[in-house]
Amino acid sequence: MLDPQILRNDPEGVARALAARNYELDVPAWRALEEQRKDLQVRMQDLQNRKNQSAKSIGKAKSQGEDIQPLLDAVKQLGDELEQVETEFATVRERQSAWALEMPNLALPEVPVGTSEDDNAEVRRWGEPREFEYEPRDHVALGDAGGLMDAEAAARLAGARFTVLRGALSRLHRALAQFMLDTHTTEHGYTEVYLPYLVNAEAMTGTGQLPKFGDDAFATTDEPPRYLVPTAEVPMTNLAGEQIFDAAELPLRMTSQTPCFRREAGSYGKDTRGMIRQHQFEKVELVQITHPQHSSEALEELTGHAEVILQRLELPYRVMLLCTGDMGFAAAKTYDLEVWLPGQNAYREISSCSVCTDFQSRRMLARFRNPDTGKPELAHTLNGSGLAVGRTLIAVMENYQQRDGSITVPEVLRPYMGGLETIPGPA
């Protein structure tokens, strides 16, 4: 949620910044609502003061033997008026809050202005795509040929956009997640956490999934509903909600492996083949809670942690700085890591690493105590995939494939695979 003081003091400036995020703020309507709020607040204060003065007069009149009934009637009338104005004020504040919850975060100054992924800026590349002496297969062809990937069985169980993995490929999927967790916890200083896979609406609102993206979430039929996590970012970041940390405790670094559940609303017809875009997938997520002065450098650090995984797996990738129109709702700046997929002859997203400044912490009240003032201040939140396990599996399959359809197991994963060096192709 945006700082309400900025919205009050400079709605035109906020509107210009939000326009770069493809969001149109109706400034006259916002100003009218703000003027209504201020007027009601003044009226409340006036009525409360008058009510207090009248209440004091009752005691004085009573001590002097005067008839206090007119004063009692006046206090009651003022109380009734005050209650009505308080109700109107609460309604206006609710309207403002609901409106503010729909506004995306403001981009940091260094973020390029643009409307789509075509306006993203390439920052750097690592590794060279492998030269094949034959036409490389995509992960679906490789999985089907080895009998280790089965979309038909998944469709019988759950419908489209699900996949069944078998045998060595399923073990490779598990090995990737374990390798990522071990690297982040033993080398990068993250604490591993096990999280609920169902969260309440407050948690979804805290990180920005609600109310704007409710259509993309799977919800239970409970009243109130609970939501299957779209990413571990939701429960993990909310661990800092309604907390006040000592400044010395920051940064907090947490990581978790969870399934992620998404309806993929609006993606009809996109990536229907294979495991690129699924309703259920695994991800190792990284979250940091930092002091505001250190969040920019923390983003570079967190992105580097995700890059280490790709480098250890020797997978070529590029880092893209997303433009204003392509960033996620809560992000102020985002780097996408895009891995090379020979089967598609293209780079595809495998991780998004974002700093959200105080946008999420304002929603969930994640704070730290300033040692100089002793007062609580909003922390900054960051999150990133370290990495998406399914897409990493795809990248390993396609980049390590052999002519006969077998897949070489990357050296760093062999200890997690019982020493297995090759996943056999079709018999």
Side-chain angles (χ1 to χ4, degrees):
M1 185 180 293
L2 299 180
D3 185 344
Q5 287 300 118
I6 297 176
L7 275 167
R8 290 169 187 165
N9 297 334
D10 186 18
E12 289 83 5
V14 172
R16 289 191 295 271
L18 289 177
R21 301 293 318 268
N22 297 330
Y23 180 93
E24 183 178 353
L25 175 62
D26 187 339
V27 174
W30 179 266
R31 278 198 175 278
L33 196 59
E34 177 60 17
E35 288 301 316
Q36 188 178 0
R37 181 198 67 81
K38 290 192 289 187
D39 178 64
L40 288 168
Q41 189 167 18
V42 170
R43 287 171 61 191
M44 275 196 311
Q45 292 171 345
D46 178 60
L47 286 167
Q48 186 65 61
N49 290 336
R50 288 164 60 192
K51 182 182 175 185
N52 291 341
Q53 286 300 116
S54 296
K56 290 179 182 178
S57 299
I58 292 174
K60 183 178 180 181
K62 189 173 182 180
S63 67
Q64 295 176 352
E66 298 176 3
D67 182 7
I68 63 171
Q69 189 57 49
L71 292 172
L72 291 172
D73 293 341
V75 169
K76 183 180 184 308
Q77 182 178 350
L78 287 168
D80 291 342
E81 288 183 46
L82 178 60
E83 184 177 348
Q84 181 179 347
V85 173
E86 286 175 338
T87 300
E88 293 177 20
F89 180 80
T91 299
V92 170
R93 292 292 294 120
E94 287 174 6
R95 289 175 59 191
Q96 284 186 314
S97 180
W99 194 349
L101 285 173
E102 295 179 352
M103 299 179 193
N105 200 359
L106 303 181
L108 292 175
E110 63 268 28
V111 174
V113 175
T115 58
S116 71
E117 62 181 17
D118 295 333
D119 300 311
N120 296 339
E122 183 173 321
V123 177
R124 58 182 173 272
R125 294 192 181 199
W126 187 93
E128 291 293 331
R130 172 184 165 191
E131 294 288 341
F132 286 84
E133 298 177 352
Y134 54 91
E135 187 69 25
R137 308 184 214 188
D138 69 7
H139 70 285
V140 180
L142 289 165
D144 287 348
L148 302 178
M149 183 181 291
D150 194 339
E152 290 185 6
R156 292 197 304 271
L157 297 173
R161 296 191 186 272
F162 293 92
T163 301
V164 169
L165 300 178
R166 293 191 172 96
L169 201 58
S170 181
R171 184 171 185 178
L172 181 62
H173 184 271
R174 172 163 54 92
L176 282 164
Q178 290 179 304
F179 164 64
M180 294 175 193
L181 287 171
D182 284 350
T183 302
H184 296 315
T185 55
T186 63
E187 298 183 30
H188 299 153
Y190 291 82
T191 298
E192 183 177 354
V193 292
Y194 175 77
L195 299 163
Y197 299 162
L198 284 166
V199 295
N200 57 30
E202 289 77 13
M204 292 282 280
T205 302
T207 45
Q209 277 71 27
L210 290 181
K212 189 172 179 63
F213 302 104
D215 289 344
D216 205 32
F218 287 101
T220 68
T221 56
D222 298 344
E223 286 297 335
R226 287 179 291 180
Y227 297 83
L228 288 165
V229 294
T231 164
E233 171 199 344
V234 176
M236 194 153 47
T237 308
N238 273 278
L239 288 175
E242 299 182 5
Q243 304 294 310
I244 301 177
F245 300 98
D246 289 335
E249 294 181 79
L250 302 181
L252 300 178
R253 297 186 182 95
M254 298 173 283
T255 185
S256 184
Q257 174 198 354
T258 69
C260 305
F261 304 92
R262 300 180 187 178
R263 289 187 182 276
E264 293 294 344
S267 66
Y268 179 79
K270 296 179 181 177
D271 295 313
T272 56
R273 177 178 167 83
M275 292 179 62
I276 290 288
R277 196 179 297 272
Q278 301 268 279
H279 289 312
Q280 173 189 316
F281 59 95
E282 297 276 328
K283 188 149 64 79
V284 171
E285 187 74 359
L286 306 175
V287 162
Q288 291 198 25
I289 313 296
T290 72
H291 190 289
Q293 293 180 356
H294 303 144
S295 62
S296 291
E297 62 191 70
L299 175 61
E300 304 299 325
E301 175 191 62
L302 185 147
T303 304
H305 294 159
E307 289 183 71
V308 164
I309 302 299
L310 290 168
Q311 293 170 8
R312 300 272 176 88
L313 292 169
E314 299 185 59
L315 295 172
Y317 67 92
R318 66 182 184 181
V319 180
M320 304 294 291
L321 174 60
L322 300 196
C323 71
T324 55
D326 198 33
M327 286 196 303
F329 179 77
K333 181 179 180 180
T334 298
Y335 291 117
D336 267 9
L337 305 185
E338 298 181 347
V339 69
W340 176 254
L341 297 183
Q344 295 191 22
N345 194 37
Y347 286 97
R348 296 299 304 268
E349 178 199 337
I350 197 169
S351 171
S352 282
C353 301
S354 301
V355 58
C356 301
T357 57
D358 59 10
F359 186 83
Q360 293 177 327
S361 53
R362 179 171 282 105
R363 288 172 170 236
M364 65 178 70
L365 291 180
R367 296 168 291 174
F368 70 98
R369 194 171 300 281
N370 186 319
D372 297 326
T373 65
K375 295 180 180 179
E377 296 182 10
L378 293 171
H380 280 194
T381 63
L382 303 94
N383 64 80
S385 307
L387 303 162
V389 181
R391 292 196 178 189
T392 310
L393 177 72
I394 291 169
V396 169
M397 292 173 68
E398 295 193 8
N399 282 278
Y400 282 86
Q401 65 178 289
Q402 304 304 314
R403 186 187 294 271
D404 62 359
S406 62
I407 300 166
T408 301
V409 177
E411 286 191 21
V412 292
L413 297 181
R414 291 174 188 175
Y416 299 91
M417 296 287 290
L420 184 68
E421 298 184 1
T422 302
I423 297 175

